[in-house]
Amino acid sequence: MNIKDVAERSGLPAKTIRYYEDIGLIRPLRSANGYRSFRESDLHKLAFLARARSLGFSIEDCRTLLALYEDRSRASSDVKAVAEAHLHKIAEKIAELRAMEATLSHLVQSCAGDGRPDCPILAGLGDGAKPQAGLAVAAECCS
Amino acid sequence: MNIKDVAERSGLPAKTIRYYEDIGLIRPLRSANGYRSFRESDLHKLAFLARARSLGFSIEDCRTLLALYEDRSRASSDVKAVAEAHLHKIAEKIAELRAMEATLSHLVQSCAGDGRPDCPILAGLGDGAKPQAGLAVAAECCS
DNA sequence: CTTGACCTTCCGGTTACTGGAACCGCCAGA
DNA sequence: TCTGGCGGTTCCAGTAACCGGAAGGTCAAG
């Protein structure tokens, strides 16, 4: 299989597949012409990666999970530990976002949103009215 | 005021403040020795930025909000529009994370987490058992 | 033989910083 | 006067996980 086929079948862009090879997540063979030649097992791994990524696992988590996936003598506790750690991160993130949402929706609700300049949103940002402990500055929240 | 003072008073690292000058969010004066010299107005802007960032606004949103903050003849509707757009993004993100959380917690619950290799988590990632429409691959979810 | 769809590598850009190197300014103490 | 130490400065590289595009090689069809 060439890259376009696995891209379609795995749902990952060809660019991403090349990147995954670059960072050592997969090791497809090469044909005589230099093209990547994917086996069924490569496709399985890519599909695995696509699903793990869609659940929000980091690339490094994916690397770990893939190694466990390949290791027929793994302990399921190892897998579970990775998944639970990730679940905690997700929960934290949700809590953080909900705090933002709460604060911001209060501000938005109190803003007339008309042609006048008076704006409680800007006022709230300007004075320290809502310093909200627990809201990290480096919050990288939304895309 | 030198940079360390505004850093302490605004809660932003000095590095970040230099960065904000770099990208044109603030324009502090310079002393004869080349040091940045911050006015009270610079400090206000930095505090504003710190709070806007803590609510998850992007730098570009912050730029817009700061311009509105400075513009005494703004319409509050403009501010509200930016805030509401951001609120939508937050809500989407929360929904996405909750979908991940739901799927993953099911998998985790069904995993024995013992020394045996059988693992429903890996099985779920391996076959397409939980393709979950709506879960984007490029989900950049957690830190 | 040419066209067009594929494939390849490499480079740069994205977001919002952070860390570090190398260097300069300023003040206090020995 | 020299030295230390804590400021300050710039610039470069790296982070996560890719995406876009350029320049060029390959292959099957017409």
Side-chain angles (χ1 to χ4, degrees):
Chain A
M1 265 182 296
N2 280 350
I3 200 165
K4 198 163 188 228
D5 303 315
V6 273
E8 272 163 21
R9 295 227 253 152
S10 68
L12 292 170
K15 276 276 190 189
T16 299
I17 295 173
R18 291 197 194 95
Y19 173 68
Y20 286 173
E21 183 189 10
D22 243 42
I23 61 174
L25 286 179
I26 51 167
R27 305 199 182 285
L29 303 173
R30 293 288 178 141
S31 315
N33 56 14
Y35 290 13
R36 287 170 185 82
S37 177
F38 296 87
R39 290 150 292 187
E40 283 297 321
S41 64
D42 294 316
L43 179 56
H44 289 332
K45 286 195 205 175
L46 287 170
F48 180 96
L49 289 168
R51 284 187 214 101
R53 291 286 299 127
S54 80
L55 289 179
F57 285 103
S58 72
I59 290 287
E60 285 318 301
D61 280 349
C62 288
R63 197 187 296 278
T64 304
L65 291 172
L66 201 49
L68 290 167
Y69 184 59
E70 303 274 273
D71 177 6
R72 311 303 245 108
S73 72
R74 76 225 157 202
S76 69
S77 58
D78 291 343
V79 183
K80 193 169 183 174
V82 173
E84 280 179 333
H86 182 46
L87 214 38
H88 276 127
K89 282 194 176 183
I90 291 176
E92 279 175 18
K93 196 75 195 169
I94 290 174
E96 195 182 336
L97 286 168
R98 287 223 282 222
M100 287 179 185
E101 189 184 39
T103 303
L104 193 53
S105 67
H106 282 140
L107 289 175
V108 163
Q109 279 166 31
S110 62
C111 175
D114 55 18
R116 287 170 301 169
D118 316 270
C119 180
I121 301 173
L122 292 179
L125 291 169
D127 64 29
K130 309 270 179 183
Q132 290 272 353
L135 284 185
V137 169
E140 31 92 26
C141 100
C142 300
S143 49
Chain B
M1 265 182 294
N2 280 353
I3 200 165
K4 194 150 191 244
D5 304 315
V6 274
E8 272 164 20
R9 295 228 253 153
S10 68
L12 292 170
K15 275 276 191 189
T16 299
I17 295 172
R18 292 197 193 96
Y19 173 67
Y20 286 173
E21 183 189 10
D22 243 41
I23 62 174
L25 286 178
I26 51 166
R27 306 200 180 282
L29 303 173
R30 293 288 179 143
S31 316
N33 56 13
Y35 289 13
R36 287 171 186 80
S37 177
F38 297 87
R39 292 150 292 188
E40 283 298 321
S41 63
D42 295 315
L43 179 56
H44 289 333
K45 287 195 206 178
L46 288 170
F48 180 97
L49 289 168
R51 283 187 217 103
R53 291 288 299 126
S54 81
L55 288 179
F57 285 103
S58 71
I59 289 287
E60 284 318 303
D61 280 349
C62 287
R63 197 186 296 279
T64 304
L65 290 172
L66 201 50
L68 291 167
Y69 184 61
E70 302 274 273
D71 177 6
R72 311 304 246 110
S73 72
R74 76 222 157 206
S76 69
S77 58
D78 290 345
V79 182
K80 194 169 183 174
V82 173
E84 280 179 334
H86 182 47
L87 214 39
H88 276 127
K89 282 193 176 185
I90 291 176
E92 278 175 18
K93 196 77 196 167
I94 290 173
E96 194 182 338
L97 285 168
R98 288 222 280 224
M100 287 179 186
E101 188 183 42
T103 302
L104 193 52
S105 68
H106 282 140
L107 290 174
V108 163
Q109 278 165 31
S110 62
C111 175
D114 54 18
R116 287 171 301 169
D118 316 271
C119 180
I121 302 174
L122 292 180
L125 292 169
D127 63 29
K130 310 271 182 185
Q132 290 272 353
L135 284 184
V137 168
E140 29 92 25
C141 100
C142 301
S143 47

PDB file of all heavy atoms in Angstrom, chain A residues 15-16 19-20 33 35 53 58-59, chain D residues 17-22 25-27:
ATOM      1  N   LYS A  15       0.459  13.696   5.435  1.00  0.00           N
ATOM      2  CA  LYS A  15       1.463  14.495   6.150  1.00  0.00           C
ATOM      3  C   LYS A  15       1.692  13.966   7.558  1.00  0.00           C
ATOM      4  O   LYS A  15       2.827  13.884   8.040  1.00  0.00           O
ATOM      5  CB  LYS A  15       0.977  15.949   6.245  1.00  0.00           C
ATOM      6  CG  LYS A  15       1.287  16.785   5.031  1.00  0.00           C
ATOM      7  CD  LYS A  15       2.702  17.331   5.121  1.00  0.00           C
ATOM      8  CE  LYS A  15       2.943  18.361   4.032  1.00  0.00           C
ATOM      9  NZ  LYS A  15       4.359  18.746   3.953  1.00  0.00           N
ATOM     10  N   THR A  16       0.623  13.643   8.199  1.00  0.00           N
ATOM     11  CA  THR A  16       0.697  13.155   9.575  1.00  0.00           C
ATOM     12  C   THR A  16       1.369  11.790   9.627  1.00  0.00           C
ATOM     13  O   THR A  16       2.184  11.523  10.522  1.00  0.00           O
ATOM     14  CB  THR A  16      -0.716  13.080  10.163  1.00  0.00           C
ATOM     15  OG1 THR A  16      -1.277  14.392  10.148  1.00  0.00           O
ATOM     16  CG2 THR A  16      -0.716  12.541  11.574  1.00  0.00           C
ATOM     17  N   TYR A  19       4.948  12.257   9.319  1.00  0.00           N
ATOM     18  CA  TYR A  19       5.430  12.768  10.593  1.00  0.00           C
ATOM     19  C   TYR A  19       5.568  11.648  11.614  1.00  0.00           C
ATOM     20  O   TYR A  19       6.577  11.565  12.329  1.00  0.00           O
ATOM     21  CB  TYR A  19       4.473  13.846  11.095  1.00  0.00           C
ATOM     22  CG  TYR A  19       4.771  14.335  12.481  1.00  0.00           C
ATOM     23  CD1 TYR A  19       5.926  15.069  12.752  1.00  0.00           C
ATOM     24  CD2 TYR A  19       3.911  14.056  13.537  1.00  0.00           C
ATOM     25  CE1 TYR A  19       6.204  15.520  14.025  1.00  0.00           C
ATOM     26  CE2 TYR A  19       4.177  14.500  14.806  1.00  0.00           C
ATOM     27  CZ  TYR A  19       5.321  15.229  15.050  1.00  0.00           C
ATOM     28  OH  TYR A  19       5.588  15.669  16.319  1.00  0.00           O
ATOM     29  N   TYR A  20       4.604  10.761  11.679  1.00  0.00           N
ATOM     30  CA  TYR A  20       4.674   9.648  12.626  1.00  0.00           C
ATOM     31  C   TYR A  20       5.848   8.724  12.318  1.00  0.00           C
ATOM     32  O   TYR A  20       6.454   8.159  13.227  1.00  0.00           O
ATOM     33  CB  TYR A  20       3.356   8.865  12.622  1.00  0.00           C
ATOM     34  CG  TYR A  20       2.203   9.576  13.307  1.00  0.00           C
ATOM     35  CD1 TYR A  20       0.911   9.063  13.273  1.00  0.00           C
ATOM     36  CD2 TYR A  20       2.402  10.772  13.996  1.00  0.00           C
ATOM     37  CE1 TYR A  20      -0.148   9.713  13.899  1.00  0.00           C
ATOM     38  CE2 TYR A  20       1.350  11.432  14.613  1.00  0.00           C
ATOM     39  CZ  TYR A  20       0.082  10.898  14.566  1.00  0.00           C
ATOM     40  OH  TYR A  20      -0.970  11.538  15.179  1.00  0.00           O
ATOM     41  N   ASN A  33      11.464   2.217  -5.604  1.00  0.00           N
ATOM     42  CA  ASN A  33      11.419   3.606  -6.069  1.00  0.00           C
ATOM     43  C   ASN A  33      11.490   4.623  -4.927  1.00  0.00           C
ATOM     44  O   ASN A  33      11.414   5.831  -5.160  1.00  0.00           O
ATOM     45  CB  ASN A  33      10.148   3.836  -6.897  1.00  0.00           C
ATOM     46  CG  ASN A  33       8.895   3.477  -6.118  1.00  0.00           C
ATOM     47  OD1 ASN A  33       8.938   3.314  -4.911  1.00  0.00           O
ATOM     48  ND2 ASN A  33       7.796   3.350  -6.838  1.00  0.00           N
ATOM     49  N   TYR A  35       9.309   4.882  -2.482  1.00  0.00           N
ATOM     50  CA  TYR A  35       7.988   5.100  -1.892  1.00  0.00           C
ATOM     51  C   TYR A  35       7.849   4.281  -0.616  1.00  0.00           C
ATOM     52  O   TYR A  35       8.360   3.168  -0.523  1.00  0.00           O
ATOM     53  CB  TYR A  35       6.883   4.690  -2.867  1.00  0.00           C
ATOM     54  CG  TYR A  35       6.711   5.578  -4.076  1.00  0.00           C
ATOM     55  CD1 TYR A  35       7.669   6.533  -4.414  1.00  0.00           C
ATOM     56  CD2 TYR A  35       5.583   5.455  -4.875  1.00  0.00           C
ATOM     57  CE1 TYR A  35       7.501   7.338  -5.529  1.00  0.00           C
ATOM     58  CE2 TYR A  35       5.404   6.265  -5.989  1.00  0.00           C
ATOM     59  CZ  TYR A  35       6.375   7.203  -6.321  1.00  0.00           C
ATOM     60  OH  TYR A  35       6.214   7.994  -7.422  1.00  0.00           O
ATOM     61  N   ARG A  53      -5.262   9.331  19.555  1.00  0.00           N
ATOM     62  CA  ARG A  53      -5.170  10.792  19.442  1.00  0.00           C
ATOM     63  C   ARG A  53      -6.540  11.436  19.581  1.00  0.00           C
ATOM     64  O   ARG A  53      -6.676  12.501  20.177  1.00  0.00           O
ATOM     65  CB  ARG A  53      -4.532  11.183  18.116  1.00  0.00           C
ATOM     66  CG  ARG A  53      -3.073  10.838  17.981  1.00  0.00           C
ATOM     67  CD  ARG A  53      -2.161  11.745  18.805  1.00  0.00           C
ATOM     68  NE  ARG A  53      -2.268  13.126  18.418  1.00  0.00           N
ATOM     69  CZ  ARG A  53      -2.519  14.124  19.260  1.00  0.00           C
ATOM     70  NH1 ARG A  53      -2.712  13.889  20.546  1.00  0.00           N
ATOM     71  NH2 ARG A  53      -2.591  15.356  18.839  1.00  0.00           N
ATOM     72  N   SER A  58      -1.542  12.270  24.305  1.00  0.00           N
ATOM     73  CA  SER A  58      -0.403  12.935  23.677  1.00  0.00           C
ATOM     74  C   SER A  58       0.360  11.931  22.826  1.00  0.00           C
ATOM     75  O   SER A  58       0.191  10.719  22.962  1.00  0.00           O
ATOM     76  CB  SER A  58       0.534  13.493  24.743  1.00  0.00           C
ATOM     77  OG  SER A  58       1.218  12.429  25.374  1.00  0.00           O
ATOM     78  N   ILE A  59       1.213  12.443  21.971  1.00  0.00           N
ATOM     79  CA  ILE A  59       2.048  11.574  21.158  1.00  0.00           C
ATOM     80  C   ILE A  59       2.887  10.649  22.027  1.00  0.00           C
ATOM     81  O   ILE A  59       3.013   9.455  21.740  1.00  0.00           O
ATOM     82  CB  ILE A  59       2.971  12.428  20.252  1.00  0.00           C
ATOM     83  CG1 ILE A  59       2.145  13.115  19.165  1.00  0.00           C
ATOM     84  CG2 ILE A  59       4.067  11.597  19.642  1.00  0.00           C
ATOM     85  CD1 ILE A  59       1.658  12.192  18.081  1.00  0.00           C
TER      86      ILE A  59
ATOM     87  P    DA D  17       1.864  16.145  21.464  1.00  0.00           P
ATOM     88  OP1  DA D  17       0.671  15.641  22.189  1.00  0.00           O
ATOM     89  OP2  DA D  17       3.116  15.374  21.477  1.00  0.00           O
ATOM     90  O5'  DA D  17       1.445  16.427  19.957  1.00  0.00           O
ATOM     91  C5'  DA D  17       0.287  17.216  19.707  1.00  0.00           C
ATOM     92  C4'  DA D  17       0.219  17.536  18.238  1.00  0.00           C
ATOM     93  O4'  DA D  17       1.213  18.533  17.917  1.00  0.00           O
ATOM     94  C3'  DA D  17       0.521  16.358  17.303  1.00  0.00           C
ATOM     95  O3'  DA D  17      -0.463  16.352  16.285  1.00  0.00           O
ATOM     96  C2'  DA D  17       1.902  16.703  16.742  1.00  0.00           C
ATOM     97  C1'  DA D  17       1.762  18.204  16.677  1.00  0.00           C
ATOM     98  N9   DA D  17       2.995  18.965  16.476  1.00  0.00           N
ATOM     99  C8   DA D  17       4.285  18.571  16.674  1.00  0.00           C
ATOM    100  N7   DA D  17       5.177  19.495  16.380  1.00  0.00           N
ATOM    101  C5   DA D  17       4.417  20.573  15.963  1.00  0.00           C
ATOM    102  C6   DA D  17       4.752  21.864  15.502  1.00  0.00           C
ATOM    103  N6   DA D  17       5.998  22.306  15.389  1.00  0.00           N
ATOM    104  N1   DA D  17       3.747  22.691  15.166  1.00  0.00           N
ATOM    105  C2   DA D  17       2.485  22.260  15.278  1.00  0.00           C
ATOM    106  N3   DA D  17       2.041  21.068  15.700  1.00  0.00           N
ATOM    107  C4   DA D  17       3.067  20.267  16.027  1.00  0.00           C
ATOM    108  P    DC D  18      -0.659  15.017  15.422  1.00  0.00           P
ATOM    109  OP1  DC D  18      -1.921  15.143  14.677  1.00  0.00           O
ATOM    110  OP2  DC D  18      -0.445  13.880  16.332  1.00  0.00           O
ATOM    111  O5'  DC D  18       0.548  15.060  14.392  1.00  0.00           O
ATOM    112  C5'  DC D  18       0.360  15.553  13.074  1.00  0.00           C
ATOM    113  C4'  DC D  18       0.170  17.052  13.049  1.00  0.00           C
ATOM    114  O4'  DC D  18       1.391  17.683  13.467  1.00  0.00           O
ATOM    115  C3'  DC D  18      -0.126  17.612  11.673  1.00  0.00           C
ATOM    116  O3'  DC D  18      -1.507  17.947  11.581  1.00  0.00           O
ATOM    117  C2'  DC D  18       0.749  18.846  11.516  1.00  0.00           C
ATOM    118  C1'  DC D  18       1.459  18.966  12.868  1.00  0.00           C
ATOM    119  N1   DC D  18       2.876  19.358  12.702  1.00  0.00           N
ATOM    120  C2   DC D  18       3.191  20.678  12.354  1.00  0.00           C
ATOM    121  O2   DC D  18       2.276  21.473  12.182  1.00  0.00           O
ATOM    122  N3   DC D  18       4.494  21.035  12.202  1.00  0.00           N
ATOM    123  C4   DC D  18       5.451  20.135  12.399  1.00  0.00           C
ATOM    124  N4   DC D  18       6.726  20.533  12.252  1.00  0.00           N
ATOM    125  C5   DC D  18       5.159  18.775  12.770  1.00  0.00           C
ATOM    126  C6   DC D  18       3.875  18.437  12.900  1.00  0.00           C
ATOM    127  P    DC D  19      -2.185  17.934  10.129  1.00  0.00           P
ATOM    128  OP1  DC D  19      -3.653  17.960  10.322  1.00  0.00           O
ATOM    129  OP2  DC D  19      -1.569  16.869   9.331  1.00  0.00           O
ATOM    130  O5'  DC D  19      -1.735  19.325   9.482  1.00  0.00           O
ATOM    131  C5'  DC D  19      -2.256  20.541  10.007  1.00  0.00           C
ATOM    132  C4'  DC D  19      -1.829  21.690   9.101  1.00  0.00           C
ATOM    133  O4'  DC D  19      -0.416  21.935   9.264  1.00  0.00           O
ATOM    134  C3'  DC D  19      -2.055  21.425   7.612  1.00  0.00           C
ATOM    135  O3'  DC D  19      -2.627  22.609   7.060  1.00  0.00           O
ATOM    136  C2'  DC D  19      -0.655  21.140   7.062  1.00  0.00           C
ATOM    137  C1'  DC D  19       0.232  21.948   8.011  1.00  0.00           C
ATOM    138  N1   DC D  19       1.598  21.413   8.238  1.00  0.00           N
ATOM    139  C2   DC D  19       2.685  22.277   8.173  1.00  0.00           C
ATOM    140  O2   DC D  19       2.495  23.478   7.905  1.00  0.00           O
ATOM    141  N3   DC D  19       3.925  21.798   8.419  1.00  0.00           N
ATOM    142  C4   DC D  19       4.109  20.510   8.704  1.00  0.00           C
ATOM    143  N4   DC D  19       5.350  20.084   8.942  1.00  0.00           N
ATOM    144  C5   DC D  19       3.009  19.602   8.775  1.00  0.00           C
ATOM    145  C6   DC D  19       1.783  20.094   8.534  1.00  0.00           C
ATOM    146  P    DG D  20      -3.199  22.565   5.537  1.00  0.00           P
ATOM    147  OP1  DG D  20      -4.481  23.309   5.581  1.00  0.00           O
ATOM    148  OP2  DG D  20      -3.154  21.201   5.008  1.00  0.00           O
ATOM    149  O5'  DG D  20      -2.137  23.446   4.736  1.00  0.00           O
ATOM    150  C5'  DG D  20      -1.639  24.642   5.300  1.00  0.00           C
ATOM    151  C4'  DG D  20      -0.605  25.258   4.378  1.00  0.00           C
ATOM    152  O4'  DG D  20       0.715  24.809   4.777  1.00  0.00           O
ATOM    153  C3'  DG D  20      -0.774  24.870   2.911  1.00  0.00           C
ATOM    154  O3'  DG D  20      -0.703  26.059   2.138  1.00  0.00           O
ATOM    155  C2'  DG D  20       0.381  23.908   2.629  1.00  0.00           C
ATOM    156  C1'  DG D  20       1.431  24.313   3.668  1.00  0.00           C
ATOM    157  N9   DG D  20       2.254  23.218   4.152  1.00  0.00           N
ATOM    158  C8   DG D  20       1.833  21.966   4.505  1.00  0.00           C
ATOM    159  N7   DG D  20       2.798  21.185   4.927  1.00  0.00           N
ATOM    160  C5   DG D  20       3.928  21.980   4.843  1.00  0.00           C
ATOM    161  C6   DG D  20       5.270  21.674   5.164  1.00  0.00           C
ATOM    162  O6   DG D  20       5.752  20.627   5.592  1.00  0.00           O
ATOM    163  N1   DG D  20       6.104  22.761   4.931  1.00  0.00           N
ATOM    164  C2   DG D  20       5.693  23.982   4.450  1.00  0.00           C
ATOM    165  N2   DG D  20       6.630  24.914   4.284  1.00  0.00           N
ATOM    166  N3   DG D  20       4.435  24.277   4.152  1.00  0.00           N
ATOM    167  C4   DG D  20       3.610  23.225   4.370  1.00  0.00           C
ATOM    168  P    DG D  21      -0.837  26.045   0.558  1.00  0.00           P
ATOM    169  OP1  DG D  21      -1.476  27.306   0.147  1.00  0.00           O
ATOM    170  OP2  DG D  21      -1.426  24.749   0.169  1.00  0.00           O
ATOM    171  O5'  DG D  21       0.690  26.081   0.096  1.00  0.00           O
ATOM    172  C5'  DG D  21       1.611  26.966   0.730  1.00  0.00           C
ATOM    173  C4'  DG D  21       2.994  26.744   0.174  1.00  0.00           C
ATOM    174  O4'  DG D  21       3.643  25.666   0.901  1.00  0.00           O
ATOM    175  C3'  DG D  21       3.017  26.326  -1.302  1.00  0.00           C
ATOM    176  O3'  DG D  21       4.058  27.031  -1.956  1.00  0.00           O
ATOM    177  C2'  DG D  21       3.326  24.840  -1.253  1.00  0.00           C
ATOM    178  C1'  DG D  21       4.228  24.775  -0.023  1.00  0.00           C
ATOM    179  N9   DG D  21       4.308  23.463   0.594  1.00  0.00           N
ATOM    180  C8   DG D  21       3.275  22.589   0.819  1.00  0.00           C
ATOM    181  N7   DG D  21       3.662  21.476   1.390  1.00  0.00           N
ATOM    182  C5   DG D  21       5.039  21.623   1.544  1.00  0.00           C
ATOM    183  C6   DG D  21       5.996  20.753   2.085  1.00  0.00           C
ATOM    184  O6   DG D  21       5.831  19.637   2.568  1.00  0.00           O
ATOM    185  N1   DG D  21       7.276  21.299   2.043  1.00  0.00           N
ATOM    186  C2   DG D  21       7.585  22.531   1.533  1.00  0.00           C
ATOM    187  N2   DG D  21       8.859  22.895   1.569  1.00  0.00           N
ATOM    188  N3   DG D  21       6.695  23.357   1.025  1.00  0.00           N
ATOM    189  C4   DG D  21       5.445  22.844   1.055  1.00  0.00           C
ATOM    190  P    DA D  22       4.142  27.019  -3.523  1.00  0.00           P
ATOM    191  OP1  DA D  22       3.748  28.366  -3.995  1.00  0.00           O
ATOM    192  OP2  DA D  22       3.446  25.823  -4.036  1.00  0.00           O
ATOM    193  O5'  DA D  22       5.710  26.847  -3.767  1.00  0.00           O
ATOM    194  C5'  DA D  22       6.637  27.396  -2.817  1.00  0.00           C
ATOM    195  C4'  DA D  22       7.986  26.706  -2.957  1.00  0.00           C
ATOM    196  O4'  DA D  22       7.988  25.469  -2.194  1.00  0.00           O
ATOM    197  C3'  DA D  22       8.315  26.321  -4.401  1.00  0.00           C
ATOM    198  O3'  DA D  22       9.701  26.575  -4.653  1.00  0.00           O
ATOM    199  C2'  DA D  22       8.013  24.830  -4.460  1.00  0.00           C
ATOM    200  C1'  DA D  22       8.337  24.386  -3.040  1.00  0.00           C
ATOM    201  N9   DA D  22       7.565  23.230  -2.584  1.00  0.00           N
ATOM    202  C8   DA D  22       6.214  23.043  -2.652  1.00  0.00           C
ATOM    203  N7   DA D  22       5.806  21.905  -2.152  1.00  0.00           N
ATOM    204  C5   DA D  22       6.974  21.296  -1.726  1.00  0.00           C
ATOM    205  C6   DA D  22       7.227  20.063  -1.103  1.00  0.00           C
ATOM    206  N6   DA D  22       6.270  19.181  -0.789  1.00  0.00           N
ATOM    207  N1   DA D  22       8.514  19.761  -0.807  1.00  0.00           N
ATOM    208  C2   DA D  22       9.473  20.633  -1.124  1.00  0.00           C
ATOM    209  N3   DA D  22       9.355  21.825  -1.707  1.00  0.00           N
ATOM    210  C4   DA D  22       8.072  22.095  -1.973  1.00  0.00           C
ATOM    211  P    DG D  25      14.601  15.532 -10.299  1.00  0.00           P
ATOM    212  OP1  DG D  25      16.061  15.321 -10.389  1.00  0.00           O
ATOM    213  OP2  DG D  25      13.850  16.082 -11.443  1.00  0.00           O
ATOM    214  O5'  DG D  25      13.950  14.153  -9.842  1.00  0.00           O
ATOM    215  C5'  DG D  25      14.554  13.430  -8.768  1.00  0.00           C
ATOM    216  C4'  DG D  25      13.681  12.238  -8.446  1.00  0.00           C
ATOM    217  O4'  DG D  25      12.359  12.719  -8.095  1.00  0.00           O
ATOM    218  C3'  DG D  25      13.478  11.280  -9.613  1.00  0.00           C
ATOM    219  O3'  DG D  25      13.368   9.951  -9.116  1.00  0.00           O
ATOM    220  C2'  DG D  25      12.161  11.740 -10.210  1.00  0.00           C
ATOM    221  C1'  DG D  25      11.398  12.151  -8.959  1.00  0.00           C
ATOM    222  N9   DG D  25      10.347  13.139  -9.172  1.00  0.00           N
ATOM    223  C8   DG D  25      10.479  14.436  -9.607  1.00  0.00           C
ATOM    224  N7   DG D  25       9.341  15.075  -9.681  1.00  0.00           N
ATOM    225  C5   DG D  25       8.403  14.138  -9.277  1.00  0.00           C
ATOM    226  C6   DG D  25       6.998  14.258  -9.158  1.00  0.00           C
ATOM    227  O6   DG D  25       6.285  15.228  -9.393  1.00  0.00           O
ATOM    228  N1   DG D  25       6.428  13.068  -8.715  1.00  0.00           N
ATOM    229  C2   DG D  25       7.127  11.919  -8.427  1.00  0.00           C
ATOM    230  N2   DG D  25       6.413  10.873  -8.011  1.00  0.00           N
ATOM    231  N3   DG D  25       8.439  11.810  -8.526  1.00  0.00           N
ATOM    232  C4   DG D  25       9.005  12.952  -8.957  1.00  0.00           C
ATOM    233  P    DT D  26      13.186   8.764 -10.218  1.00  0.00           P
ATOM    234  OP1  DT D  26      13.913   7.611  -9.657  1.00  0.00           O
ATOM    235  OP2  DT D  26      13.540   9.279 -11.564  1.00  0.00           O
ATOM    236  O5'  DT D  26      11.624   8.445 -10.212  1.00  0.00           O
ATOM    237  C5'  DT D  26      10.916   8.345  -8.969  1.00  0.00           C
ATOM    238  C4'  DT D  26       9.646   7.521  -9.187  1.00  0.00           C
ATOM    239  O4'  DT D  26       8.524   8.426  -9.403  1.00  0.00           O
ATOM    240  C3'  DT D  26       9.617   6.567 -10.379  1.00  0.00           C
ATOM    241  O3'  DT D  26       8.847   5.445 -10.011  1.00  0.00           O
ATOM    242  C2'  DT D  26       8.937   7.379 -11.470  1.00  0.00           C
ATOM    243  C1'  DT D  26       7.917   8.173 -10.645  1.00  0.00           C
ATOM    244  N1   DT D  26       7.532   9.512 -11.146  1.00  0.00           N
ATOM    245  C2   DT D  26       6.201   9.861 -11.168  1.00  0.00           C
ATOM    246  O2   DT D  26       5.310   9.123 -10.817  1.00  0.00           O
ATOM    247  N3   DT D  26       5.951  11.134 -11.612  1.00  0.00           N
ATOM    248  C4   DT D  26       6.873  12.069 -12.046  1.00  0.00           C
ATOM    249  O4   DT D  26       6.518  13.179 -12.415  1.00  0.00           O
ATOM    250  C5   DT D  26       8.238  11.644 -12.012  1.00  0.00           C
ATOM    251  C7   DT D  26       9.324  12.578 -12.456  1.00  0.00           C
ATOM    252  C6   DT D  26       8.503  10.385 -11.568  1.00  0.00           C
ATOM    253  P    DC D  27       8.847   4.085 -10.817  1.00  0.00           P
ATOM    254  OP1  DC D  27       9.023   3.015  -9.818  1.00  0.00           O
ATOM    255  OP2  DC D  27       9.762   4.217 -11.968  1.00  0.00           O
ATOM    256  O5'  DC D  27       7.348   4.029 -11.352  1.00  0.00           O
ATOM    257  C5'  DC D  27       6.275   4.386 -10.467  1.00  0.00           C
ATOM    258  C4'  DC D  27       4.988   4.564 -11.251  1.00  0.00           C
ATOM    259  O4'  DC D  27       4.886   5.941 -11.683  1.00  0.00           O
ATOM    260  C3'  DC D  27       4.870   3.704 -12.521  1.00  0.00           C
ATOM    261  O3'  DC D  27       3.582   3.143 -12.546  1.00  0.00           O
ATOM    262  C2'  DC D  27       5.069   4.707 -13.644  1.00  0.00           C
ATOM    263  C1'  DC D  27       4.466   5.964 -13.026  1.00  0.00           C
ATOM    264  N1   DC D  27       4.937   7.251 -13.582  1.00  0.00           N
ATOM    265  C2   DC D  27       4.026   8.308 -13.744  1.00  0.00           C
ATOM    266  O2   DC D  27       2.854   8.129 -13.426  1.00  0.00           O
ATOM    267  N3   DC D  27       4.467   9.490 -14.239  1.00  0.00           N
ATOM    268  C4   DC D  27       5.756   9.644 -14.567  1.00  0.00           C
ATOM    269  N4   DC D  27       6.138  10.833 -15.032  1.00  0.00           N
ATOM    270  C5   DC D  27       6.701   8.588 -14.407  1.00  0.00           C
ATOM    271  C6   DC D  27       6.249   7.425 -13.925  1.00  0.00           C
TER     272       DC D  27
END
